[in-house]
Amino acid sequence: MYLADGRPAPATSVSPGGRRTGRSRRVRAAVPSTVLVLGTVSLITDISSEMVTAVLPLYLVAELGLSPLGFGVLDGVYNGVSALVRLVGGRLSDRGGGAGHKAVAAVGYGLSALCKPLLLLVHSLPLIGAVLAVDRTGKGLRTAPRDAMISLAAEPAARGRAFGVHRAMDTAGALCGPLVAFMLLRAAAEGYDAVFTVSFCVAVLGVVVLLLFVPGRALPAAAGTAGPASAGPASAGPASAGPASAGRTPAGPTPAAPRTPVRALLGRPEIRRLTACAVLLGLTTVSDSFLYLTLQRRLDLPAGWFPLLPLGTAAAFLSLAVPMGAIADRLGRRRLFLAGHLVLLCAYGLLLAPLGDGAALVCAVLVLHGAFYAATDGVLAAATADAVPEDARGSGLAVVQTGQTAARFVCSLAFGAAWTAWGDHTAVLAAAVGLALTAALSARLLRPAGPMAGPNSPSEHTS
C-alpha cells in the first residue's frame, strides 16, 4: 500500500490472505530466506572472483607487460561480454518459469567456476581474453535470474532493503577475496598460480550451495500487492477476484502467463528512461581496475600491496548497502541512483585535485567509491524490478543491466585509449567532465516520472 506521493504506507500492509500486518512483520519479511541463501552464494562466489580481480590488473600489466590500451581491451571484454548474454539469460529464465531462474543461474555460476583453473594454462593476450569472455558469459547468464529471484521473494515496498542485504553479503565476499589473494601472494612461491587454484575451489563451493539450498521455484512474496503488471481493474482487491484468479494458489498448477518480449519492455516509458540513464552514466563510469591502477601509480605503491586497494571499496559498500537500500525505499530510488553518481564524481575530483598523496587520499577515494556502489547497484535493480511484470522479471532486469554493462565496456576502451595517448590525469579529467554532463542529462530525463518509491507510484509504475 502506498501514499499519494508514491512512498510505502508506514503503518500496515495487506498479506496474501487479506490480513493486515504491522511494520515489524513487514520488516522481517523484507529479508526472506531465499534472499539470504542467494546472498550466501554471492558471498562465496565473490570471494573467488575478487581473488582473481584483485591481482588481474597487476598480473596483466606488470607480469605480462600489457600496455594500458591492451589492458583496457581486456577489461572491456571482462565487463562487456556479459552484456551480450544478459538478455539471453533473462529471457531463458523467464521461459523456464519459476524453476528457470535457478537453472540458468546455476549454469552461469558453473561457467565462471570452470574458468578459474584455465587462467593457469594461458599466458597470451588472445587466450586470456577468451577465458575472461567465458567467465563473463557466466556472470551475464546468472545476474538477471538471480536478481529476479530476489525481487520475487521480497515484498515490493522493501525491495531496496532486500537488494541492499544481498549486495552487503556479496560485498562481504569482495572484502575477503583480496585479503586471501594478498596472503597467497606473500606466502606462496608461485603466488598467481595459488590464487587461481584456490579461487576455483571456492567457486565450486558456491555452485554447490546454490544447487542444494536455493528453492527451485520463486513465488511472489506478496501476491496481493499490486505491481506494475497488475495495475488496473484486476488489482482492485479481493472483492474483484473472479474464479480465474481464485484458483491460482501456490499448491496447484499455475497457468503460464504470456511472456513479454524485450521490444515490448522497451516500449514502457519507465524502462526506456531507466535504460537510457543507465547507459549515459555507464559511459563515464571508470572501471574499478583503472581506478585502482590510477591510485597505485599516483602513490607508487609496491606491487604486493595492490590487492588491498579493493578492500576500501568493499568495506564502504558493505557498511552502506543496507542503509542505502532502506533510504531508497523511503526517499525514492531514482534520486538515490543519481546521487550515487555524484558521489563518484567527488572521487574523480579527489584523484584530480593537487592534494597531498598519502593514506588519507586513498581512504577518501575508496570510501566514496564504495558509497557509489551502495547507492546505485542494488538500487537500480530494485527500481527496475518494480517496473516489470513478474512473468518478464528476468528479461526486464537484463534489459537495463545490459545497457549499463555495454556502456561500461565502451568506457573501458575509451579510458584505456585516453590513458595511453594523454596519460592517466587527462583520462580521469575527461571522465569527470563526461560524468557531470550525463548526470545532469539523466536528472532531466527522470524528472517527469516523479519519485521512484514503489510499484504503485501514481506518476508511473516505476519504483
Side-chain angles (χ1 to χ4, degrees):
M1 191 172 180
Y2 295 82
L3 302 176
D5 61 357
R7 293 181 292 111
T12 61
S13 61
V14 180
S15 68
R19 295 176 298 166
R20 291 193 175 272
T21 58
R23 175 184 290 274
S24 61
R25 174 81 173 271
R26 188 181 64 193
V27 170
R28 286 196 300 269
V31 190
S33 60
T34 297
V35 175
L36 296 178
V37 175
L38 286 170
T40 302
V41 173
S42 293
L43 186 153
I44 296 170
T45 303
D46 230 40
I47 292 176
S48 169
S49 61
E50 290 302 321
M51 287 174 61
V52 174
T53 302
V55 302
L56 194 63
L58 202 63
Y59 175 67
L60 295 176
V61 174
E63 188 80 4
L64 300 184
L66 290 182
S67 68
L69 177 58
F71 177 74
V73 172
L74 275 184
D75 191 63
V77 169
Y78 194 65
N79 292 288
V81 168
S82 62
L84 302 178
V85 295
R86 287 195 187 206
L87 290 174
V88 176
R91 190 68 178 144
L92 287 176
S93 66
D94 288 336
R95 286 183 180 276
H101 295 136
K102 177 180 177 179
V104 175
V107 172
Y109 280 110
L111 273 179
S112 294
L114 291 175
C115 287
K116 302 301 188 294
L118 294 181
L119 290 172
L120 297 170
L121 307 176
V122 297
H123 299 92
S124 65
L125 179 62
L127 291 178
I128 292 174
V131 171
L132 295 181
V134 175
D135 177 78
R136 293 299 91 180
T137 297
K139 181 175 176 60
L141 285 175
R142 71 180 183 250
T143 300
R146 180 204 65 200
D147 286 350
M149 286 189 283
I150 295 171
S151 70
L152 290 171
E155 292 185 2
R159 280 191 182 129
R161 184 188 300 272
F163 276 101
V165 169
H166 173 269
R167 296 310 196 256
M169 297 180 71
D170 180 88
T171 307
L175 192 63
C176 296
L179 280 175
V180 176
F182 173 73
M183 290 186 291
L184 288 173
L185 283 178
R186 297 181 72 87
E190 298 292 336
Y192 292 114
D193 290 352
V195 168
F196 298 148
T197 301
V198 174
S199 174
F200 167 67
C201 297
V202 175
V204 171
L205 177 60
V207 177
V208 171
V209 173
L210 174 71
L211 294 175
L212 293 182
F213 297 106
V214 174
R217 179 177 293 273
L219 294 175
T225 304
S230 59
S235 61
S240 64
S245 61
R248 294 186 181 183
T249 62
T254 302
R259 305 299 175 192
T260 306
V262 172
R263 184 175 299 177
L265 288 170
L266 288 174
R268 292 170 171 257
E270 63 271 24
I271 295 295
R272 282 203 309 273
R273 279 195 290 269
L274 280 172
T275 304
C277 291
V279 168
L280 285 172
L281 295 168
L283 287 172
T284 52
T285 301
V286 175
S287 75
D288 299 358
S289 299
F290 272 127
L291 186 139
Y292 301 144
L293 281 173
T294 302
L295 274 176
Q296 191 266 340
R297 293 201 173 190
R298 176 166 177 176
L299 301 179
D300 197 23
L301 290 175
W305 292 93
F306 185 84
L308 294 181
L309 290 178
L311 295 182
T313 296
F317 193 175
L318 175 63
S319 302
L320 297 173
V322 177
M324 287 293 186
I327 291 172
D329 289 335
R330 288 178 174 273
L331 301 183
R333 293 164 192 162
R334 285 179 174 173
R335 292 171 180 170
L336 191 62
F337 180 69
L338 289 172
H341 285 84
L342 296 181
V343 170
L344 180 63
L345 184 60
C346 292
Y348 290 172
L350 288 180
L351 288 174
L352 295 169
L355 302 175
D357 297 338
L361 175 64
V362 174
C363 291
V365 171
L366 295 181
V367 167
L368 290 172
H369 195 222
F372 155 70
Y373 278 118
T376 58
D377 190 6
V379 171
L380 179 61
T384 306
D386 287 328
V388 179
E390 289 174 3
D391 66 294
R393 186 64 50 81
S395 298
L397 286 162
V399 166
V400 177
Q401 292 168 353
T402 296
Q404 183 183 60
T405 307
R408 290 181 177 180
F409 167 72
V410 174
C411 181
S412 286
L413 296 180
F415 191 87
W419 185 332
T420 301
W422 304 310
D424 58 326
H425 187 274
T426 302
V428 174
L429 177 61
V433 172
L435 181 57
L437 294 175
T438 55
L441 181 56
S442 296
R444 189 175 183 83
L445 284 174
L446 293 177
R447 187 181 304 166
M452 184 188 238
N456 292 335
S457 179
S459 57
E460 282 187 13
H461 304 300
T462 57
S463 68

